[in-house]
Amino acid sequence: MAPFKFCDRISRGVEIQQFGDGSSSRDYTYIDDIVDGVVRSIDRPHKYEVFNLGKGSGTSLKDFIGLVEKHTGRKAVIKVCPDQPGDVPYTCADVAKAHKMLGYKSTVPFDEGIRRTVAWYNEAYKQHQLEVCPEMQANGMGRAPSMVELKSA
């Protein structure tokens, strides 16, 4: 969600919104690692278990934006907004149970995941597999998501 949105908007020079001072941190995880965790949980003798999947460490919003700028080669146009009500400063998956019971461990560093996402975005955009629609306001809170339609090949 956020990685694609930021890659898309920064690549096109469209403003992104940064809520707070950029110090909030999330456990952004590359899709290959999540798929690995899901596959590891299939056909296991663990009935009714819940597993947290993630990389197990946080990345600040400032660092996230910086990596997208690095890999797109574009400077982000940032509108700094107040913190969102109810937002927490740090979230991170505790993957200890998934590691112990499934042997799960993320392997794609966040920097590499952003690099891969930007490469995929650039290729898909170049081949017109992404149709970018006009920016629209969402939910009346001034949030402008990237609106794209993925075309099947």
Side-chain angles (χ1 to χ4, degrees), residues 31-42:
I31 188 66
D32 287 4
D33 286 331
I34 298 301
V35 170
D36 176 61
V38 171
V39 169
R40 286 172 181 270
S41 70
I42 297 172

Side-chain angles (χ1 to χ4, degrees), residues 44-66:
R44 296 289 176 124
H46 311 300
K47 292 185 179 191
Y48 312 111
E49 294 288 343
V50 175
F51 298 102
N52 287 326
L53 301 176
K55 73 179 191 302
S57 63
T59 301
S60 75
L61 183 55
K62 277 185 185 178
D63 289 346
F64 177 8
I65 293 169

Side-chain angles (χ1 to χ4, degrees), residues 9-153:
R9 294 176 70 86
I10 292 171
S11 293
R12 295 187 293 123
V14 176
E15 178 182 273
I16 62 170
Q17 294 175 325
Q18 174 185 296
F19 292 94
D21 64 3
S23 64
S24 63
S25 184
R26 300 290 178 266
D27 187 353
Y28 302 105
T29 310
Y30 192 65
I31 188 66
D32 287 4
D33 286 331
I34 298 301
V35 170
D36 176 61
V38 171
V39 169
R40 286 172 181 270
S41 70
I42 297 172
D43 295 332
R44 296 289 176 124
H46 311 300
K47 292 185 179 191
Y48 312 111
E49 294 288 343
V50 175
F51 298 102
N52 287 326
L53 301 176
K55 73 179 191 302
S57 63
T59 301
S60 75
L61 183 55
K62 277 185 185 178
D63 289 346
F64 177 8
I65 293 169
L67 288 172
V68 176
E69 289 175 323
K70 171 184 161 185
H71 292 294
T72 61
R74 307 264 329 243
K75 182 82 175 135
V77 179
I78 302 171
K79 178 181 179 181
V80 178
C81 303
D83 285 322
Q84 295 188 87
D87 207 0
V88 297
Y90 182 82
T91 62
C92 181
D94 178 354
V95 296
K97 180 178 174 183
H99 179 71
K100 180 180 179 182
M101 295 178 75
L102 304 175
Y104 170 81
K105 184 176 192 287
S106 69
T107 60
V108 180
F110 187 61
D111 186 320
E112 174 62 13
I114 291 297
R115 187 199 64 76
R116 291 180 190 181
T117 302
V118 169
W120 169 83
Y121 175 89
N122 289 338
E123 189 62 27
Y125 194 78
K126 182 174 75 174
Q127 293 181 9
H128 305 288
Q129 293 174 336
L130 297 175
E131 184 177 316
V132 180
C133 301
E135 300 302 318
M136 299 170 53
Q137 294 296 313
N139 74 13
M141 297 181 71
R143 301 170 99 184
S146 295
M147 305 297 288
V148 297
E149 178 182 328
L150 296 176
K151 295 179 179 180
S152 57

